[in-house]
Amino acid sequence: MAGDRPAVAGLLLYLLIAATPTLVFWVSLRVLPALVARVAERRRSRHQPTATPLESTVADLRRLRREVRSREQRTHVRRTAVLAAYDDALLDVCRQVEVDAPLATAVGHDRVYARLITEAALEDAGIALDPPPGARRPDTGGQQ
């Protein structure tokens, strides 16, 4: 009977050595990807930018619209930059109010027409691009 213990210990050691690669492989296929996904999701949710309020985005849109319409830009580069910023602001507001924006897919000379359609869609959604003359402007404190 005294010789049975080393045989049992040897058998347990053999099972441990035989089962370890299988267990390691199973853990690497099942548990590790779930753990990595959970850590990545936490990191993503921590670094997500907060959305700007609609009022702020609309105020920027109106300011850029006034600049585009004023045509006081002295250089072609400035005109192009202001128009590109206005288009980006239009698309941001469309995303926030969930309005279809044809401007997002327009290229070349079609952008002018798509910009008009996008502006009309925003007006239909209730966003006044040109507020009434007596409306209070946040950047001037109500004084005009």
Side-chain angles (χ1 to χ4, degrees):
M1 287 288 205
D4 288 341
R5 288 193 183 173
V8 170
L11 184 61
L12 289 176
L13 184 62
Y14 172 75
L15 288 175
L16 180 70
I17 291 172
T20 300
T22 305
L23 289 175
V24 169
F25 188 70
W26 180 82
V27 166
S28 67
L29 286 179
R30 297 290 180 176
V31 177
L32 198 59
L35 183 65
V36 169
R38 187 179 307 154
V39 169
E41 182 63 33
R42 272 192 179 172
R43 189 174 277 193
R44 241 181 278 133
S45 67
R46 194 175 344 148
H47 294 293
Q48 281 182 341
T50 57
T52 56
L54 179 62
E55 293 83 9
S56 173
T57 311
V58 170
D60 288 343
L61 178 67
R62 289 175 179 159
R63 178 185 52 81
L64 288 166
R65 183 177 172 90
R66 284 191 302 271
E67 283 190 48
V68 166
R69 288 183 155 197
S70 72
R71 299 189 184 272
E72 292 178 4
Q73 295 84 23
R74 297 178 186 204
T75 65
H76 178 71
V77 173
R78 174 72 180 167
R79 277 191 302 274
T80 305
V82 168
L83 195 58
Y86 177 68
D87 289 348
D88 288 344
L90 265 175
L91 293 174
D92 287 344
V93 172
C94 285
R95 250 182 256 112
Q96 286 183 339
V97 296
E98 298 175 356
V99 170
D100 184 37
L103 182 62
T105 57
V107 292
H109 294 292
D110 294 338
R111 289 187 69 80
V112 176
Y113 183 63
R115 190 176 300 117
L116 289 173
I117 293 173
T118 303
E119 289 170 347
L122 280 177
E123 291 274 344
D124 288 343
I127 305 292
L129 298 178
D130 292 319
R136 185 179 168 133
R137 290 175 23 201
D139 56 336
T140 60
Q143 300 170 358
Q144 293 186 12

